[in-house]
Amino acid sequence: MSEHRRKPPQPQGGGRAASRRAAQQHPGRGAGPGRDVPAAPPGGPYAEQSAHGSRADARRAAQRPAAGRGRPGGNGGGGRKRLIDYPRAGKAGWKRFVPSWKLVGGSVLGFFAVIIAGAGVGIAMVGTPDANKAAKAQNNVFQWADGSQMVATGGSTNRQIIPIDQIPISMRNAVIAAENESFETDKGVDPMGIARAVVNMATGGSTQGGSTITQQYVKNTYLDSEQTLKRKVTELFIAIKLGATEEKDKVLAGYLNTAYFGRDAYGIQAAARAYFGKDAKDLNPSESAFLASLLKGPNLYNPDGGIGSAATPEANEKRARARWAWVLDREVAVHRMEQSERDKYKEFPARVDLAQASGMSGQTGYLVEVAKAYVMKTADIPAERMALGGYTIRTTFQKPKVDALSKAVEDTRNDFLDEKKRPEYDTFVQFGAASVDVKTGAIVALYGGPGWDHKYFANNANTSGVPVGSTWKPYVLAAAMEYGTQNSKGSGISPNSKYNANDLTVINDRSGKPLLGPDGQPFKQKNESEYPYGYVTLNEAMEKSINVPFAQLVFDVGHSKVRQVAKSTGILEESMDENNNASFALGTSTPSAIRMADSYATFAASGTHHEPFSVLEVKKDGKDVPGFQAPKESRAMDNSVADNITKVLRNVVENGTGTKAKKLGRPAAGKTGTTDQNKSAWFVGYTPELSTSVTLFRNDPNSKDKKLMSMNHVGGVDSIHGGDIPAVIWTEYMREALKGTPVKDFPEAEDIGVVADAAGAPSPSPSVAVSPSVSPSTSVSPSPSTSVSPSPSEGGKPCKPKPWNLNCDPQTAAGTSSGAGGNTTGGSTDPATTSPTGRPGRQGGTTTWGSIMGTQG
């Protein structure tokens, strides 16, 4: 480039103009520190600053705001403005940092816009979750046959969910007044309460619960009780959504069905039962106010007391009374109760006893377990699902009959036993009983024991392991009537057939050869009496419960035929003695009282059998669970056979070992049973309407083997027979259970079968002519009276003036007894336990407890 075109050098001075230009230079545009602009050499044209102008001018120039980008007068922005004017342009000093009202207003609006947008997104994204299992878990409700509630229990949570129309208005008013006055108008949340809770939890302060009923319902139903900010926010979103979408009645019902009230009660129905022994729908305003006061915290407001030094019963009672009064006054203040109504409630409401509140006292525990097992088996419901509850189970049990059976047992027990006076004999005596409807097989009553509240959990009505004694003999006779014997040439035999009844008679097997005992000698069956009866009819042998004829008859008809008949009437195979010995005919099998009552009902129903059942209907969430119709009937035996068994068993009551049952005063049939060494005693009997069995035995329920013990000297008497205590209990119960029921007779029994006497009888050959059976009222017995009997019989010993012996008639008992026993002689020391192979029969001394489900088939 030519020299003459080079820019001339700038002046070295500059004066005020230069100072002003320097002051106006934009920071960062010059070659200040921190910029990648090379500095001019010291000797360059820009090295020297003007010496003209005062220091004050320079300072003022430096204090003027630089004109940067976006600012008016700035040389870098072309006049553009900043989006947010902060720090503020045009202001100096501290004023630059004071926001304008536009900035404040915009920030507030922006904040709320973000919050609202976030909440909207959160509410839109959150769905109403499924209720957790704990919130849905509830009790199973067991009802009596008439539909009234027996007890609510058996679920993992003591809760029974009910609809809003079963929650009284008084309860709704009390809860709304005490908990959330604006419930019916609010949107499900209290913004101030939520803000307070969030702040406290975020800053580590005290935890805060949901302040509205909707929020409490959300926490109880959908969430856990963890106090965290995340759970609180989730609760807020769900509560807002429910407040906008759910009906208020549904939310209120949901809250009251899930809230905890103390006494292990979840929900208003369980609470009403736990504290007042009534359904929620029957609560009065005072009781409702009390339950509403518990929602503030059962640990401190339940008068029973709670956990911690501050939760004593006395302190809790005082708090509860004050809170109860406050709730009633609050209802008046918010116009949910008239003052005149409030003035009626001056007394703190009385509550039921805590033990009574459990509802499982007396016979209830046994009833519930039988019905529960039947439901689980019938509907194939696993235990885990049953534990979640929610089932409403209407049972077959009739409360008046259950109460009558319990009273009959307990009255007799109290009069008969004295454990303090006779501890070595009267302790561990057990009673069991069951009653079945003849026409349907429905179990209407049972007695299982003293009760769960007495720590007795074994169900004596459903126990398997107590030998039934001579109550088994009707099955042997029925099999002979149905299938005949070796002597009848295939025809059924008449009860007028004669058999040798003498004590210690040799028993022959089916081939006619003597059975051999363990010593290799011919086996001789023992009676309870040594009297030589000679040949007697089977009808008479049943009347006097003589052992020898039935020990022989079981071989003549065949053990398998007897088992077949017993099974057809409802006796379970697993409860039958598997040995084919003489003792099998005498009752070494061990069915339960339920099964025996149901089986004898088959005789009462003229041979029609109904399986025993304990449940009429089951509902889950208001819908019927299928499969609970009454079991279909089946034909167990010909009606003529069943009616003739009834005729024979009526004779037992009228003239034989069961005469105490005559006090019933209406047609009845039954059989006594007593086992070897007096280890059990039974009476099983029936009318055309009901069949009932009663058993008495002795064992220690806490022992490992549950071994049966002798009842000799129990109650201060030498021995207990089926015609004694069991018959007395049976009669007292049946009298009360059938009160008001018209008297009905059994069908008339037609003559049946051929007379097929046993070998050696006066008329040994069977007659093909039909022979009329001996009438119960005209049968002639060759047996002597009790006065010459060497040992007592099942009902023939003279009566003693015992207070429990309510039906004792000494003259009648002495005149009708033969001294023959119903003793099965099945013990280990008696040869009757020996089979043809020399194997001992079932000892009858070990009690095993069968499953409830199994005994109902």
Side-chain angles (χ1 to χ4, degrees):
M1 185 178 295
S2 61
E3 189 69 23
H4 67 276
R5 301 192 57 184
R6 187 175 297 165
K7 189 174 181 178
Q10 297 296 318
Q12 297 299 315
R16 293 182 179 177
S19 299
R20 185 167 55 253
R21 284 194 299 272
Q24 292 176 350
Q25 182 70 36
H26 188 281
R29 285 293 187 182
R35 302 286 294 186
D36 292 332
V37 179
Y46 300 104
E48 295 183 10
Q49 299 296 323
S50 171
H52 300 283
S54 68
R55 293 182 179 177
D57 290 337
R59 185 167 59 252
R60 283 194 296 273
Q63 289 177 350
R64 293 192 188 101
R69 290 181 180 174
R71 298 186 185 120
N75 58 4
R80 289 179 297 169
K81 296 181 179 180
R82 290 185 296 168
L83 179 62
I84 299 177
D85 185 17
Y86 192 84
R88 297 175 64 185
K91 299 292 183 180
W94 59 269
K95 293 183 180 180
R96 297 176 61 212
F97 299 98
V98 177
S100 66
W101 66 269
K102 292 182 179 180
L103 181 60
V104 173
S107 298
V108 171
L109 290 176
F111 174 77
F112 278 106
V114 171
I115 292 296
I116 292 173
V121 171
I123 294 172
M125 293 182 65
V126 69
T128 303
D130 292 333
N132 60 47
K133 289 184 178 180
K136 292 192 294 184
Q138 55 182 313
N139 274 325
N140 296 310
V141 180
F142 292 84
Q143 299 174 335
W144 297 103
D146 63 4
S148 60
Q149 181 167 315
M150 179 195 306
V151 68
T153 187
S156 58
T157 301
N158 183 21
R159 176 189 288 120
Q160 180 186 346
I161 296 174
I162 57 176
I164 190 68
D165 59 8
Q166 292 185 29
I167 301 175
I169 294 296
S170 65
M171 188 67 210
R172 301 182 223 174
N173 285 337
V175 172
I176 292 174
E179 297 286 309
N180 185 185
E181 176 189 349
S182 64
F183 169 72
E184 292 176 334
T185 57
D186 64 33
K187 298 302 181 182
V189 295
D190 176 3
M192 294 304 296
I194 287 293
R196 182 173 61 252
V198 170
V199 169
N200 284 350
M201 285 186 291
T203 58
S206 61
T207 58
Q208 299 285 326
S211 57
T212 69
I213 288 175
T214 306
Q215 288 172 253
Q216 291 282 31
Y217 168 55
V218 168
K219 181 178 68 175
N220 293 344
T221 306
Y222 303 112
L223 306 172
D224 55 35
S225 58
E226 183 184 8
Q227 295 287 356
T228 64
L229 182 60
K230 177 183 178 182
R231 189 199 64 76
K232 198 67 185 177
V233 172
T234 305
E235 173 192 305
L236 170 65
F237 286 160
I238 298 175
I240 293 173
K241 187 153 191 172
L242 288 180
T245 59
E246 290 287 4
E247 296 181 358
K248 290 292 185 179
D249 279 353
K250 183 175 180 180
V251 173
L252 183 59
Y255 171 56
L256 290 175
N257 276 319
T258 55
Y260 181 59
F261 289 85
R263 281 197 175 184
D264 196 33
Y266 289 82
I268 184 61
Q269 174 66 8
R273 281 280 167 184
Y275 287 98
F276 302 111
K278 60 173 65 175
D279 291 331
K281 61 184 178 63
D282 299 323
L283 292 170
N284 63 40
S286 177
E287 294 163 340
S288 295
F290 168 79
L291 293 179
S293 69
L294 293 174
L295 294 172
K296 189 171 179 63
N299 190 62
L300 295 177
Y301 288 85
N302 177 5
D304 300 330
I307 300 173
S309 59
T312 63
E314 295 77 14
N316 281 15
E317 175 92 12
K318 184 177 181 180
R319 279 188 290 264
R321 286 177 176 271
R323 180 73 175 175
W324 163 79
W326 179 85
V327 171
L328 289 172
D329 292 338
R330 179 67 176 165
E331 289 185 71
V332 174
V334 298
H335 309 295
R336 290 188 173 272
M337 179 185 287
E338 296 294 332
Q339 184 64 51
S340 58
E341 178 75 6
R342 166 67 181 93
D343 293 339
K344 296 179 182 179
Y345 306 110
K346 301 297 185 183
E347 298 294 328
F348 194 56
R351 301 166 305 283
V352 299
D353 182 75
L354 183 59
Q356 179 185 348
S358 67
M360 297 295 280
S361 59
Q363 298 306 301
T364 305
Y366 309 121
L367 300 175
V368 165
E369 284 304 299
V370 169
K372 178 181 175 182
Y374 185 82
V375 169
M376 292 173 66
K377 180 179 180 183
T378 302
D380 193 24
I381 299 174
E384 294 80 7
R385 195 191 315 162
M386 199 75 183
L388 288 176
Y391 293 93
T392 300
I393 300 164
R394 185 159 70 95
T395 71
T396 59
F397 306 124
Q398 298 178 22
K399 190 176 189 303
K401 289 183 172 62
V402 171
D403 292 342
L405 184 55
S406 181
K407 185 177 186 300
V409 172
E410 295 301 331
D411 286 352
T412 304
R413 174 195 287 275
N414 293 336
D415 289 338
F416 175 53
L417 301 177
D418 190 337
E419 296 184 17
K420 293 183 179 179
K421 183 178 180 180
R422 296 179 294 271
E424 70 275 26
Y425 299 120
D426 287 6
T427 54
F428 305 134
V429 177
Q430 312 294 346
F431 296 79
S435 188
V436 171
D437 188 306
V438 166
K439 296 180 178 63
T440 64
I443 306 170
V444 297
L446 58 79
Y447 182 88
W452 286 11
D453 49 326
H454 288 80
K455 309 302 181 183
Y456 190 89
F457 300 104
N459 187 349
N460 293 341
N462 209 27
T463 184
S464 178
V466 180
V468 295
S470 293
T471 59
W472 192 261
K473 291 173 181 175
Y475 304 122
V476 183
L477 180 57
M481 290 180 175
E482 183 84 10
Y483 298 106
T485 65
Q486 297 179 125
N487 304 321
S488 68
K489 298 180 180 180
S491 299
I493 70 170
S494 165
N496 289 324
S497 302
K498 295 180 179 179
Y499 272 69
N500 191 343
N502 287 334
D503 187 41
L504 297 177
T505 295
V506 174
I507 304 299
N508 297 323
D509 62 18
R510 287 185 65 82
S511 66
K513 297 179 180 180
L515 293 176
L516 298 180
D519 57 359
Q521 298 300 311
F523 164 69
K524 298 178 181 180
Q525 177 62 54
K526 182 175 178 55
N527 290 328
E528 187 172 3
S529 170
E530 297 177 358
Y531 182 79
Y533 292 103
Y535 282 82
V536 300
T537 65
L538 293 172
N539 181 61
E540 185 178 348
M542 188 76 75
E543 172 193 321
K544 297 174 175 62
S545 201
I546 308 172
N547 289 339
V548 169
F550 293 97
Q552 183 59 61
L553 182 61
V554 74
F555 284 96
D556 291 350
V557 70
H559 291 74
S560 63
K561 296 299 184 183
V562 176
R563 289 189 177 90
Q564 186 173 334
V565 166
K567 182 180 178 181
S568 70
T569 65
I571 301 298
L572 300 177
E573 283 188 278
E574 54 265 32
S575 68
M576 299 183 199
D577 186 349
E578 60 185 12
N579 293 299
N580 292 333
N581 52 21
S583 293
F584 175 77
L586 310 179
T588 50
S589 296
T590 58
S592 68
I594 291 175
R595 283 288 168 177
M596 287 300 291
D598 177 72
S599 176
Y600 270 47
T602 305
F603 299 138
S606 298
T608 299
H609 175 245
H610 302 85
E611 273 291 291
F613 68 104
S614 56
V615 175
L616 294 170
E617 65 177 3
V618 178
K619 292 182 180 293
K620 182 71 165 69
D621 300 328
K623 298 179 180 178
D624 288 327
V625 177
F628 289 95
Q629 302 80 12
K632 294 181 179 180
E633 63 183 39
S634 61
R635 172 58 59 181
M637 64 186 70
D638 189 85
N639 66 295
S640 62
V641 172
D643 292 342
N644 270 273
I645 291 293
T646 295
K647 184 176 182 179
V648 171
L649 296 185
R650 287 189 69 176
N651 190 42
V652 172
V653 172
E654 293 294 326
N655 306 300
T657 58
T659 53
K660 286 186 174 65
K662 287 201 311 183
K663 294 291 185 179
L664 180 61
R666 62 170 69 211
K671 184 69 188 78
T672 58
T674 309
T675 57
D676 185 36
Q677 299 178 28
N678 207 200
K679 289 182 177 179
S680 66
W682 289 75
F683 185 79
V684 186
Y686 54 89
T687 67
E689 300 83 14
L690 285 179
S691 176
T692 302
S693 64
V694 179
T695 181
L696 185 68
F697 57 95
R698 187 175 178 227
N699 75 352
D700 181 354
N702 297 317
S703 63
K704 292 182 178 180
D705 56 6
K706 305 291 191 298
K707 186 177 181 179
L708 293 179
M709 306 158 67
S710 174
M711 290 189 293
N712 290 335
H713 309 298
V714 166
V717 298
D718 293 338
S719 60
I720 304 297
H721 295 273
D724 297 328
I725 299 302
V728 170
I729 293 173
W730 183 93
T731 305
E732 292 304 302
Y733 160 70
M734 292 289 279
R735 180 186 290 124
E736 185 66 26
L738 295 172
K739 185 179 292 185
T741 303
V743 176
K744 183 180 179 181
D745 206 348
F746 294 104
E748 184 175 353
E750 62 184 75
D751 294 335
I752 186 175
V754 299
V755 175
D757 299 334
S763 301
S765 59
S767 171
V768 294
V770 176
S771 172
S773 60
V774 179
S775 169
S777 61
T778 60
S779 62
V780 180
S781 171
S783 60
S785 67
T786 306
S787 60
V788 298
S789 173
S791 63
S793 71
E794 281 190 302
K797 59 183 178 180
C799 299
K800 294 189 177 183
K802 300 287 291 182
W804 52 264
N805 216 345
L806 303 177
N807 295 338
C808 179
D809 187 345
Q811 293 181 348
T812 302
T816 60
S817 173
S818 67
N823 196 334
T824 65
T825 63
S828 60
T829 61
D830 194 282
T833 61
T834 307
S835 68
T837 61
R839 293 185 301 166
R842 181 171 294 186
Q843 299 299 311
T846 301
T847 304
T848 57
W849 306 95
S851 70
I852 296 171
M853 202 179 311
T855 60
Q856 293 197 56

